[in-house]
Amino acid sequence: MLQVRFEDIGNMRYKEAWDYQEELMANNLEIKKFNRSLEIAGDDSTPKKETKSHFLICEHPPVFTLGKSGAMENLLVENKYLKEKGIEFFKTNRGGDITFHGPEQIVGYPILDLELLKPDIVLYMRNLEEVIIRTLKDYNLECERSEGETGVWLDVDHPGKARKICAMGVKTSRWITLHGFALNVNTDLEYFRMIVPCGIENKQVTSLEKELGFKVPLDEIKIKIKTHFEAVFGIELY
């Protein structure tokens, strides 16, 4: 069973968390490069190194992030306004369009070596969604997937009622994953009025608090996410 190091990095600015992920990925890519060099040289005597998988969880101060295929038109306010409100903005190297990260939202960043699980990015995305679907089912919320749209939704088959509760966007390099998911727990949804969330028009964004009618402790949700993450991916967090 794959051992994955879990780390709650607290409330960290987006760029710092991104840099930390990139550092962890770079370390693993160096290990893969080293192992590949042994294979090319036919060196069977030198032990190969093992990559290290991680699962980071955090919150961010208010920030909008735009995926590599995103459109700037989906940011509905000017940079001057963002600066006045203390909201950061970054273009990132993940997939997907624009989204918001902020207080009372749980952001998960798995840095996994999929070659040690299953090198299938589609399966990886479905598994990430499954982790959140199972977590929210613990609160009697029947969430689901929306065909052709990543993330976790409610009422996807009801026009006008479909709403996203968890956004996702990832990047992989040599089967090492980067970025991840953002689950709206007690998130201030007013921020989403400043964007076209994930570039999808005419669909709403929701939060666990809005659906349940009360605030949910983040530490409680984190425990559930960890439990389901282990079960869905068949790994052990330490």
Side-chain angles (χ1 to χ4, degrees):
M1 181 177 289
L2 182 63
Q3 304 288 302
V4 177
R5 182 171 182 263
F6 174 79
E7 189 176 358
D8 186 339
I9 56 178
N11 194 327
M12 181 180 287
R13 292 175 73 120
Y14 181 81
K15 187 60 166 60
E16 292 177 20
W18 184 9
D19 288 344
Y20 185 35
Q21 292 179 76
E22 292 279 3
E23 178 186 338
L24 296 175
M25 171 183 266
N27 291 340
N28 280 327
L29 292 179
E30 280 299 313
I31 290 171
K32 290 201 169 196
K33 182 179 178 181
F34 173 80
N35 291 343
R36 180 57 179 159
S37 69
L38 296 181
E39 293 173 2
I40 292 174
D43 185 347
D44 297 325
S45 60
T46 303
K48 289 186 176 181
K49 298 180 180 180
E50 295 184 358
T51 55
K52 297 179 180 179
S53 290
H54 303 260
F55 181 30
L56 312 178
I57 273 185
C58 65
E59 290 178 75
H60 293 306
V63 59
F64 292 117
T65 68
L66 184 70
K68 59 186 179 183
S69 58
M72 278 299 299
E73 292 77 11
N74 291 325
L75 176 64
L76 305 179
V77 294
E78 297 180 351
N79 286 335
K80 181 181 178 182
Y81 181 83
L82 295 181
K83 290 180 180 179
E84 289 174 353
K85 295 297 183 181
I87 305 171
E88 294 188 297
F89 173 83
F90 291 97
K91 291 183 178 179
T92 77
N93 57 356
R94 62 163 171 79
D97 206 285
I98 195 167
T99 196
F100 168 76
H101 298 311
E104 296 290 308
Q105 179 193 70
I106 292 180
V107 183
Y109 295 130
I111 296 92
L112 305 180
D113 184 352
L114 294 184
E115 285 191 308
L116 300 179
L117 294 169
K118 188 169 183 180
D120 184 332
I121 188 60
V122 175
L123 175 62
Y124 173 65
M125 295 301 298
R126 299 297 80 80
N127 282 342
L128 268 189
E129 291 165 346
E130 184 65 21
V131 170
I132 302 303
I133 289 171
R134 293 189 187 186
T135 298
L136 296 178
K137 192 170 185 179
D138 289 343
Y139 294 92
N140 298 315
L141 284 183
E142 293 296 329
C143 298
E144 52 198 325
R145 300 172 179 86
S146 179
E147 186 175 353
E149 298 168 335
T150 59
V152 176
W153 300 74
L154 291 92
D155 290 325
V156 293
D157 296 325
H158 297 81
K161 291 181 66 177
R163 53 207 186 276
K164 179 180 274 192
I165 194 167
C166 183
M168 296 185 179
V170 304
K171 167 190 167 73
T172 60
S173 180
R174 297 194 66 181
W175 298 112
I176 302 294
T177 65
L178 198 69
H179 302 294
F181 65 83
L183 173 62
N184 296 328
V185 183
N186 309 311
T187 317
D188 183 353
L189 300 178
E190 286 299 310
Y191 285 101
F192 289 95
R193 295 181 181 274
M194 303 179 197
I195 60 174
V196 180
C198 303
I200 302 170
E201 296 187 23
N202 304 318
K203 287 190 178 179
Q204 305 170 47
V205 174
T206 190
S207 68
L208 192 54
E209 179 187 13
K210 184 175 181 179
E211 297 299 322
L212 298 180
F214 57 85
K215 290 184 180 292
V216 180
L218 292 191
D219 286 344
E220 178 181 293
I221 299 281
K222 291 174 184 179
I223 291 171
K224 295 180 184 297
I225 288 174
K226 289 171 65 178
T227 298
H228 294 302
F229 193 87
E230 287 183 312
V232 170
F233 282 98
I235 57 92
E236 182 177 358
L237 296 174
Y238 69 94

mmCIF file of all heavy atoms in Angstrom, residues 187-224:
data_model
loop_
_atom_site.group_PDB
_atom_site.id
_atom_site.type_symbol
_atom_site.label_atom_id
_atom_site.label_comp_id
_atom_site.label_asym_id
_atom_site.label_seq_id
_atom_site.Cartn_x
_atom_site.Cartn_y
_atom_site.Cartn_z
ATOM 1 N N THR A 187 -17.671 29.036 2.870
ATOM 2 C CA THR A 187 -17.082 30.061 2.007
ATOM 3 C C THR A 187 -18.060 31.204 1.724
ATOM 4 O O THR A 187 -19.250 30.967 1.504
ATOM 5 C CB THR A 187 -16.659 29.422 0.668
ATOM 6 O OG1 THR A 187 -16.028 28.167 0.918
ATOM 7 C CG2 THR A 187 -15.724 30.320 -0.102
ATOM 8 N N ASP A 188 -17.551 32.432 1.707
ATOM 9 C CA ASP A 188 -18.352 33.591 1.304
ATOM 10 C C ASP A 188 -18.554 33.534 -0.212
ATOM 11 O O ASP A 188 -17.630 33.797 -0.992
ATOM 12 C CB ASP A 188 -17.620 34.875 1.706
ATOM 13 C CG ASP A 188 -18.427 36.132 1.389
ATOM 14 O OD1 ASP A 188 -19.483 36.028 0.734
ATOM 15 O OD2 ASP A 188 -17.981 37.227 1.785
ATOM 16 N N LEU A 189 -19.755 33.212 -0.624
ATOM 17 C CA LEU A 189 -20.032 33.001 -2.047
ATOM 18 C C LEU A 189 -20.134 34.295 -2.845
ATOM 19 O O LEU A 189 -20.204 34.258 -4.079
ATOM 20 C CB LEU A 189 -21.322 32.186 -2.203
ATOM 21 C CG LEU A 189 -21.301 30.798 -1.553
ATOM 22 C CD1 LEU A 189 -22.653 30.105 -1.721
ATOM 23 C CD2 LEU A 189 -20.188 29.930 -2.144
ATOM 24 N N GLU A 190 -20.118 35.442 -2.159
ATOM 25 C CA GLU A 190 -20.190 36.717 -2.879
ATOM 26 C C GLU A 190 -18.988 36.894 -3.804
ATOM 27 O O GLU A 190 -19.087 37.559 -4.839
ATOM 28 C CB GLU A 190 -20.263 37.879 -1.883
ATOM 29 C CG GLU A 190 -21.609 38.027 -1.200
ATOM 30 C CD GLU A 190 -22.742 38.296 -2.191
ATOM 31 O OE1 GLU A 190 -22.579 39.213 -3.022
ATOM 32 O OE2 GLU A 190 -23.759 37.596 -2.144
ATOM 33 N N TYR A 191 -17.855 36.310 -3.451
ATOM 34 C CA TYR A 191 -16.662 36.432 -4.295
ATOM 35 C C TYR A 191 -16.904 35.852 -5.693
ATOM 36 O O TYR A 191 -16.315 36.312 -6.673
ATOM 37 C CB TYR A 191 -15.480 35.713 -3.649
ATOM 38 C CG TYR A 191 -14.870 36.430 -2.475
ATOM 39 C CD1 TYR A 191 -15.170 36.047 -1.166
ATOM 40 C CD2 TYR A 191 -13.986 37.487 -2.659
ATOM 41 C CE1 TYR A 191 -14.597 36.700 -0.068
ATOM 42 C CE2 TYR A 191 -13.406 38.146 -1.567
ATOM 43 C CZ TYR A 191 -13.726 37.749 -0.280
ATOM 44 O OH TYR A 191 -13.162 38.394 0.788
ATOM 45 N N PHE A 192 -17.739 34.837 -5.775
ATOM 46 C CA PHE A 192 -17.968 34.186 -7.063
ATOM 47 C C PHE A 192 -18.767 35.057 -8.023
ATOM 48 O O PHE A 192 -18.846 34.761 -9.221
ATOM 49 C CB PHE A 192 -18.679 32.837 -6.855
ATOM 50 C CG PHE A 192 -17.793 31.789 -6.238
ATOM 51 C CD1 PHE A 192 -17.798 31.563 -4.870
ATOM 52 C CD2 PHE A 192 -16.940 31.027 -7.037
ATOM 53 C CE1 PHE A 192 -16.976 30.605 -4.294
ATOM 54 C CE2 PHE A 192 -16.116 30.059 -6.471
ATOM 55 C CZ PHE A 192 -16.138 29.852 -5.101
ATOM 56 N N ARG A 193 -19.362 36.140 -7.497
ATOM 57 C CA ARG A 193 -20.072 37.079 -8.376
ATOM 58 C C ARG A 193 -19.102 37.899 -9.219
ATOM 59 O O ARG A 193 -19.504 38.535 -10.183
ATOM 60 C CB ARG A 193 -20.949 38.020 -7.548
ATOM 61 C CG ARG A 193 -22.094 37.324 -6.811
ATOM 62 C CD ARG A 193 -22.922 38.341 -6.030
ATOM 63 N NE ARG A 193 -24.006 37.707 -5.295
ATOM 64 C CZ ARG A 193 -25.216 37.444 -5.815
ATOM 65 N NH1 ARG A 193 -25.473 37.764 -7.069
ATOM 66 N NH2 ARG A 193 -26.148 36.888 -5.067
ATOM 67 N N MET A 194 -17.830 37.872 -8.857
ATOM 68 C CA MET A 194 -16.820 38.643 -9.584
ATOM 69 C C MET A 194 -16.238 37.876 -10.767
ATOM 70 O O MET A 194 -15.407 38.396 -11.496
ATOM 71 C CB MET A 194 -15.687 39.038 -8.631
ATOM 72 C CG MET A 194 -16.134 39.826 -7.419
ATOM 73 S SD MET A 194 -14.736 40.231 -6.327
ATOM 74 C CE MET A 194 -15.596 40.661 -4.813
ATOM 75 N N ILE A 195 -16.644 36.619 -10.930
ATOM 76 C CA ILE A 195 -16.113 35.777 -12.005
ATOM 77 C C ILE A 195 -17.242 34.978 -12.642
ATOM 78 O O ILE A 195 -18.359 34.920 -12.122
ATOM 79 C CB ILE A 195 -15.038 34.793 -11.481
ATOM 80 C CG1 ILE A 195 -15.637 33.861 -10.411
ATOM 81 C CG2 ILE A 195 -13.831 35.546 -10.924
ATOM 82 C CD1 ILE A 195 -14.684 32.759 -9.952
ATOM 83 N N VAL A 196 -16.918 34.361 -13.782
ATOM 84 C CA VAL A 196 -17.768 33.305 -14.335
ATOM 85 C C VAL A 196 -17.117 32.015 -13.871
ATOM 86 O O VAL A 196 -16.137 31.560 -14.459
ATOM 87 C CB VAL A 196 -17.830 33.351 -15.876
ATOM 88 C CG1 VAL A 196 -18.721 32.228 -16.415
ATOM 89 C CG2 VAL A 196 -18.334 34.716 -16.343
ATOM 90 N N PRO A 197 -17.592 31.434 -12.758
ATOM 91 C CA PRO A 197 -16.884 30.309 -12.135
ATOM 92 C C PRO A 197 -16.611 29.161 -13.092
ATOM 93 O O PRO A 197 -17.521 28.642 -13.742
ATOM 94 C CB PRO A 197 -17.832 29.877 -11.013
ATOM 95 C CG PRO A 197 -18.654 31.093 -10.724
ATOM 96 C CD PRO A 197 -18.829 31.771 -12.053
ATOM 97 N N CYS A 198 -15.327 28.808 -13.182
ATOM 98 C CA CYS A 198 -14.873 27.715 -14.058
ATOM 99 C C CYS A 198 -15.239 27.950 -15.515
ATOM 100 O O CYS A 198 -15.215 27.031 -16.338
ATOM 101 C CB CYS A 198 -15.428 26.365 -13.586
ATOM 102 S SG CYS A 198 -14.985 25.963 -11.886
ATOM 103 N N GLY A 199 -15.588 29.199 -15.854
ATOM 104 C CA GLY A 199 -15.938 29.525 -17.227
ATOM 105 C C GLY A 199 -17.283 28.984 -17.659
ATOM 106 O O GLY A 199 -17.595 28.967 -18.855
ATOM 107 N N ILE A 200 -18.094 28.561 -16.695
ATOM 108 C CA ILE A 200 -19.398 27.947 -17.006
ATOM 109 C C ILE A 200 -20.498 28.935 -16.655
ATOM 110 O O ILE A 200 -20.707 29.269 -15.493
ATOM 111 C CB ILE A 200 -19.603 26.630 -16.220
ATOM 112 C CG1 ILE A 200 -18.470 25.648 -16.539
ATOM 113 C CG2 ILE A 200 -20.945 26.017 -16.552
ATOM 114 C CD1 ILE A 200 -18.450 24.428 -15.641
ATOM 115 N N GLU A 201 -21.206 29.407 -17.662
ATOM 116 C CA GLU A 201 -22.269 30.381 -17.440
ATOM 117 C C GLU A 201 -23.574 29.686 -17.060
ATOM 118 O O GLU A 201 -23.801 28.525 -17.361
ATOM 119 C CB GLU A 201 -22.476 31.231 -18.699
ATOM 120 C CG GLU A 201 -21.252 32.085 -19.059
ATOM 121 C CD GLU A 201 -21.536 33.034 -20.207
ATOM 122 O OE1 GLU A 201 -22.718 33.350 -20.425
ATOM 123 O OE2 GLU A 201 -20.579 33.443 -20.882
ATOM 124 N N ASN A 202 -24.432 30.443 -16.410
ATOM 125 C CA ASN A 202 -25.795 29.997 -16.076
ATOM 126 C C ASN A 202 -25.848 28.811 -15.121
ATOM 127 O O ASN A 202 -26.845 28.083 -15.089
ATOM 128 C CB ASN A 202 -26.577 29.662 -17.358
ATOM 129 C CG ASN A 202 -26.612 30.827 -18.334
ATOM 130 O OD1 ASN A 202 -26.802 31.978 -17.926
ATOM 131 N ND2 ASN A 202 -26.400 30.542 -19.612
ATOM 132 N N LYS A 203 -24.791 28.597 -14.351
ATOM 133 C CA LYS A 203 -24.828 27.586 -13.303
ATOM 134 C C LYS A 203 -24.304 28.220 -12.023
ATOM 135 O O LYS A 203 -23.402 29.046 -12.048
ATOM 136 C CB LYS A 203 -24.013 26.349 -13.686
ATOM 137 C CG LYS A 203 -24.688 25.491 -14.744
ATOM 138 C CD LYS A 203 -23.992 24.157 -14.932
ATOM 139 C CE LYS A 203 -24.732 23.307 -15.972
ATOM 140 N NZ LYS A 203 -24.062 22.013 -16.183
ATOM 141 N N GLN A 204 -24.868 27.803 -10.926
ATOM 142 C CA GLN A 204 -24.582 28.447 -9.652
ATOM 143 C C GLN A 204 -23.413 27.786 -8.928
ATOM 144 O O GLN A 204 -22.942 26.716 -9.298
ATOM 145 C CB GLN A 204 -25.828 28.377 -8.762
ATOM 146 C CG GLN A 204 -27.093 28.954 -9.386
ATOM 147 C CD GLN A 204 -28.323 28.631 -8.562
ATOM 148 O OE1 GLN A 204 -28.321 28.799 -7.343
ATOM 149 N NE2 GLN A 204 -29.370 28.170 -9.222
ATOM 150 N N VAL A 205 -22.970 28.464 -7.875
ATOM 151 C CA VAL A 205 -21.973 27.922 -6.962
ATOM 152 C C VAL A 205 -22.615 27.877 -5.581
ATOM 153 O O VAL A 205 -23.386 28.768 -5.212
ATOM 154 C CB VAL A 205 -20.709 28.811 -6.928
ATOM 155 C CG1 VAL A 205 -19.732 28.310 -5.867
ATOM 156 C CG2 VAL A 205 -20.038 28.826 -8.293
ATOM 157 N N THR A 206 -22.315 26.843 -4.827
ATOM 158 C CA THR A 206 -22.890 26.712 -3.500
ATOM 159 C C THR A 206 -21.814 26.312 -2.499
ATOM 160 O O THR A 206 -20.641 26.152 -2.854
ATOM 161 C CB THR A 206 -24.049 25.684 -3.509
ATOM 162 O OG1 THR A 206 -24.748 25.759 -2.254
ATOM 163 C CG2 THR A 206 -23.547 24.265 -3.732
ATOM 164 N N SER A 207 -22.222 26.174 -1.254
ATOM 165 C CA SER A 207 -21.305 25.765 -0.191
ATOM 166 C C SER A 207 -22.026 24.795 0.729
ATOM 167 O O SER A 207 -23.257 24.680 0.712
ATOM 168 C CB SER A 207 -20.837 26.984 0.621
ATOM 169 O OG SER A 207 -21.925 27.524 1.366
ATOM 170 N N LEU A 208 -21.258 24.113 1.550
ATOM 171 C CA LEU A 208 -21.847 23.185 2.512
ATOM 172 C C LEU A 208 -22.737 23.952 3.492
ATOM 173 O O LEU A 208 -23.835 23.497 3.841
ATOM 174 C CB LEU A 208 -20.736 22.433 3.254
ATOM 175 C CG LEU A 208 -21.148 21.223 4.094
ATOM 176 C CD1 LEU A 208 -21.949 20.222 3.295
ATOM 177 C CD2 LEU A 208 -19.909 20.559 4.683
ATOM 178 N N GLU A 209 -22.267 25.112 3.920
ATOM 179 C CA GLU A 209 -23.065 25.919 4.842
ATOM 180 C C GLU A 209 -24.403 26.308 4.227
ATOM 181 O O GLU A 209 -25.461 26.220 4.878
ATOM 182 C CB GLU A 209 -22.296 27.181 5.232
ATOM 183 C CG GLU A 209 -23.085 28.079 6.172
ATOM 184 C CD GLU A 209 -22.402 29.417 6.435
ATOM 185 O OE1 GLU A 209 -21.446 29.753 5.709
ATOM 186 O OE2 GLU A 209 -22.826 30.118 7.372
ATOM 187 N N LYS A 210 -24.387 26.712 2.971
ATOM 188 C CA LYS A 210 -25.626 27.126 2.313
ATOM 189 C C LYS A 210 -26.592 25.959 2.181
ATOM 190 O O LYS A 210 -27.807 26.117 2.374
ATOM 191 C CB LYS A 210 -25.317 27.714 0.934
ATOM 192 C CG LYS A 210 -26.544 28.249 0.215
ATOM 193 C CD LYS A 210 -26.192 28.935 -1.092
ATOM 194 C CE LYS A 210 -27.448 29.483 -1.765
ATOM 195 N NZ LYS A 210 -27.117 30.177 -3.043
ATOM 196 N N GLU A 211 -26.069 24.791 1.869
ATOM 197 C CA GLU A 211 -26.936 23.627 1.676
ATOM 198 C C GLU A 211 -27.514 23.118 2.996
ATOM 199 O O GLU A 211 -28.658 22.661 3.048
ATOM 200 C CB GLU A 211 -26.163 22.500 0.980
ATOM 201 C CG GLU A 211 -25.684 22.839 -0.421
ATOM 202 C CD GLU A 211 -26.827 23.156 -1.379
ATOM 203 O OE1 GLU A 211 -27.887 22.503 -1.299
ATOM 204 O OE2 GLU A 211 -26.658 24.083 -2.208
ATOM 205 N N LEU A 212 -26.715 23.174 4.067
ATOM 206 C CA LEU A 212 -27.149 22.630 5.351
ATOM 207 C C LEU A 212 -27.854 23.655 6.237
ATOM 208 O O LEU A 212 -28.648 23.291 7.114
ATOM 209 C CB LEU A 212 -25.946 22.060 6.116
ATOM 210 C CG LEU A 212 -25.190 20.905 5.458
ATOM 211 C CD1 LEU A 212 -24.030 20.471 6.346
ATOM 212 C CD2 LEU A 212 -26.109 19.724 5.159
ATOM 213 N N GLY A 213 -27.521 24.930 6.029
ATOM 214 C CA GLY A 213 -28.131 25.967 6.844
ATOM 215 C C GLY A 213 -27.362 26.276 8.112
ATOM 216 O O GLY A 213 -27.844 27.022 8.978
ATOM 217 N N PHE A 214 -26.162 25.739 8.239
ATOM 218 C CA PHE A 214 -25.328 26.029 9.411
ATOM 219 C C PHE A 214 -23.864 25.809 9.047
ATOM 220 O O PHE A 214 -23.540 25.096 8.092
ATOM 221 C CB PHE A 214 -25.715 25.150 10.611
ATOM 222 C CG PHE A 214 -25.650 23.666 10.348
ATOM 223 C CD1 PHE A 214 -24.462 22.952 10.485
ATOM 224 C CD2 PHE A 214 -26.796 22.974 9.960
ATOM 225 C CE1 PHE A 214 -24.399 21.586 10.242
ATOM 226 C CE2 PHE A 214 -26.749 21.600 9.715
ATOM 227 C CZ PHE A 214 -25.551 20.910 9.856
ATOM 228 N N LYS A 215 -22.989 26.432 9.832
ATOM 229 C CA LYS A 215 -21.553 26.302 9.598
ATOM 230 C C LYS A 215 -21.059 24.929 10.056
ATOM 231 O O LYS A 215 -21.548 24.385 11.045
ATOM 232 C CB LYS A 215 -20.769 27.397 10.331
ATOM 233 C CG LYS A 215 -20.955 28.791 9.738
ATOM 234 C CD LYS A 215 -20.072 29.801 10.461
ATOM 235 C CE LYS A 215 -20.227 31.195 9.886
ATOM 236 N NZ LYS A 215 -19.679 31.261 8.502
ATOM 237 N N VAL A 216 -20.081 24.403 9.327
ATOM 238 C CA VAL A 216 -19.491 23.104 9.648
ATOM 239 C C VAL A 216 -18.018 23.325 9.995
ATOM 240 O O VAL A 216 -17.305 24.011 9.255
ATOM 241 C CB VAL A 216 -19.609 22.130 8.466
ATOM 242 C CG1 VAL A 216 -18.989 20.784 8.823
ATOM 243 C CG2 VAL A 216 -21.073 21.961 8.067
ATOM 244 N N PRO A 217 -17.537 22.784 11.123
ATOM 245 C CA PRO A 217 -16.128 22.963 11.487
ATOM 246 C C PRO A 217 -15.194 22.378 10.433
ATOM 247 O O PRO A 217 -15.379 21.243 9.994
ATOM 248 C CB PRO A 217 -16.009 22.194 12.812
ATOM 249 C CG PRO A 217 -17.391 22.120 13.352
ATOM 250 C CD PRO A 217 -18.285 22.027 12.153
ATOM 251 N N LEU A 218 -14.199 23.156 10.039
ATOM 252 C CA LEU A 218 -13.275 22.688 9.005
ATOM 253 C C LEU A 218 -12.519 21.440 9.452
ATOM 254 O O LEU A 218 -12.268 20.540 8.651
ATOM 255 C CB LEU A 218 -12.280 23.795 8.634
ATOM 256 C CG LEU A 218 -12.826 25.021 7.903
ATOM 257 C CD1 LEU A 218 -11.683 25.876 7.381
ATOM 258 C CD2 LEU A 218 -13.753 24.642 6.764
ATOM 259 N N ASP A 219 -12.134 21.391 10.719
ATOM 260 C CA ASP A 219 -11.394 20.222 11.199
ATOM 261 C C ASP A 219 -12.215 18.945 11.062
ATOM 262 O O ASP A 219 -11.663 17.872 10.800
ATOM 263 C CB ASP A 219 -10.984 20.419 12.668
ATOM 264 C CG ASP A 219 -9.847 21.415 12.826
ATOM 265 O OD1 ASP A 219 -9.179 21.710 11.807
ATOM 266 O OD2 ASP A 219 -9.630 21.901 13.941
ATOM 267 N N GLU A 220 -13.507 19.061 11.242
ATOM 268 C CA GLU A 220 -14.408 17.910 11.082
ATOM 269 C C GLU A 220 -14.403 17.414 9.634
ATOM 270 O O GLU A 220 -14.302 16.215 9.375
ATOM 271 C CB GLU A 220 -15.820 18.319 11.499
ATOM 272 C CG GLU A 220 -16.882 17.237 11.345
ATOM 273 C CD GLU A 220 -18.247 17.755 11.764
ATOM 274 O OE1 GLU A 220 -18.436 18.040 12.961
ATOM 275 O OE2 GLU A 220 -19.121 17.894 10.874
ATOM 276 N N ILE A 221 -14.475 18.350 8.697
ATOM 277 C CA ILE A 221 -14.475 18.001 7.273
ATOM 278 C C ILE A 221 -13.128 17.386 6.878
ATOM 279 O O ILE A 221 -13.073 16.429 6.106
ATOM 280 C CB ILE A 221 -14.719 19.248 6.396
ATOM 281 C CG1 ILE A 221 -16.065 19.852 6.726
ATOM 282 C CG2 ILE A 221 -14.654 18.896 4.924
ATOM 283 C CD1 ILE A 221 -17.229 19.155 6.112
ATOM 284 N N LYS A 222 -12.051 17.947 7.390
ATOM 285 C CA LYS A 222 -10.717 17.445 7.039
ATOM 286 C C LYS A 222 -10.558 15.978 7.416
ATOM 287 O O LYS A 222 -9.982 15.187 6.658
ATOM 288 C CB LYS A 222 -9.639 18.287 7.726
ATOM 289 C CG LYS A 222 -9.513 19.700 7.187
ATOM 290 C CD LYS A 222 -8.519 20.512 8.010
ATOM 291 C CE LYS A 222 -8.454 21.949 7.533
ATOM 292 N NZ LYS A 222 -7.516 22.763 8.342
ATOM 293 N N ILE A 223 -11.066 15.599 8.569
ATOM 294 C CA ILE A 223 -10.981 14.204 9.008
ATOM 295 C C ILE A 223 -11.728 13.299 8.033
ATOM 296 O O ILE A 223 -11.230 12.229 7.650
ATOM 297 C CB ILE A 223 -11.543 14.053 10.436
ATOM 298 C CG1 ILE A 223 -10.628 14.745 11.440
ATOM 299 C CG2 ILE A 223 -11.714 12.575 10.795
ATOM 300 C CD1 ILE A 223 -11.211 14.843 12.837
ATOM 301 N N LYS A 224 -12.906 13.736 7.604
ATOM 302 C CA LYS A 224 -13.695 12.936 6.672
ATOM 303 C C LYS A 224 -13.003 12.838 5.309
ATOM 304 O O LYS A 224 -12.977 11.770 4.685
ATOM 305 C CB LYS A 224 -15.097 13.537 6.525
ATOM 306 C CG LYS A 224 -15.923 13.483 7.808
ATOM 307 C CD LYS A 224 -17.294 14.090 7.599
ATOM 308 C CE LYS A 224 -18.083 14.133 8.909
ATOM 309 N NZ LYS A 224 -18.353 12.776 9.441
#
